[in-house]
Amino acid sequence: MKKVMLTALCALSASSLSQAHDLWVYAQDAKQGKPLQAVLGYGDNFPAGDPIPEKRLHIFPPLELVTPNKTEALQQQGENYHYVSPQALGAGEYKISSTYRPTFWSKNADGWKMQNLSEVPDAHYCEQSSMYATTYFNIGGAKVSEFAQKPVGLELEIVPLVDPSQIKPMQVVPVQVLYNGEPVKGATIIGTADTLTKLDWDAVMDHREPQAFSGKTDKNGVMNLIPLVTGNWKLKTSHEAEFPDQKICQKKKMYSTYTFSVK
């Protein structure tokens, strides 16, 4: 009986953590001949960003700007979630990626601690959390190439299998989940759009973000998304494994998002 109750508590704890915050990225201003203005979104206020708490800043390395030929770090400027490119952008295809470094989170009767089980011996649940986020854009009339449908190379990643810049409402959009470059069968993908979340902002702030779509991937890690409304969309998925040393932590959990616009 105790084992069943502990399992339920662990599941509830994991669910609470996964719903508490998402990580996403988007291009706030991307024009040819101007530096990129990019936002690291972390929390609930999708698609806008919020200031990141000082005690969590160390978890986030700089956003990265990815092209078919190179990857470079963006520079933090202004608010701590705002980034710019070192140079003006030329015509071309780009991706922005973000990472939340592997971080231990344990929960005891007092709540969540940024520590592992050896540091919080009375914790009933621990996970090492990692988060990843990507988005795609092109400017200057650049032709969309296979780059748009290739992974950046993150540990856990959602990749569109169509041109992500031309998605329309009611279009069948295949997307794929990859873990270390391999397809993930049975992964749950949840999608929402700011068109919907703004209709029930109280739910968003209570970690009950309204969802527009949910489905599972097939044996090839592929799921067909059918966006019903225009807006800024966020797809999210997760993947978990046993942590190698159970005395340190119980689970290794990864979370990933992909953002795009439906016009």
Side-chain angles (χ1 to χ4, degrees), residues 130-193:
S130 304
M131 295 185 182
Y132 307 95
T134 56
T135 192
Y136 167 90
F137 65 95
N138 61 67
I139 56 175
K143 183 179 179 181
V144 177
S145 71
E146 62 180 11
F147 169 74
Q149 301 172 33
K150 283 189 173 182
V152 170
L154 302 174
E155 184 177 29
L156 183 67
E157 192 167 353
I158 301 173
V159 183
L161 300 182
V162 296
D163 177 354
S165 66
Q166 299 296 322
I167 297 175
K168 306 296 182 185
M170 298 300 292
Q171 177 183 344
V172 176
V173 181
V175 296
Q176 187 177 39
V177 176
L178 299 173
Y179 173 55
N180 287 329
E182 296 296 324
V184 181
K185 177 183 177 181
T188 297
I189 301 178
I190 298 172
T192 195

Side-chain angles (χ1 to χ4, degrees), residues 192-239:
T192 195
D194 60 349
T195 319
L196 298 177
T197 57
K198 67 183 180 182
L199 297 177
D200 192 358
W201 200 245
D202 287 343
V204 172
M205 292 295 98
D206 193 33
H207 308 313
R208 296 180 292 104
E209 180 184 72
Q211 306 300 323
F213 190 95
S214 177
K216 288 186 178 293
T217 58
D218 64 14
K219 63 181 181 180
N220 298 311
V222 176
M223 183 204 75
N224 287 332
L225 165 75
I226 306 174
L228 302 179
V229 296
T230 59
N232 297 304
W233 279 74
K234 175 184 64 180
L235 301 182
K236 62 183 178 181
T237 192
S238 63
H239 185 69

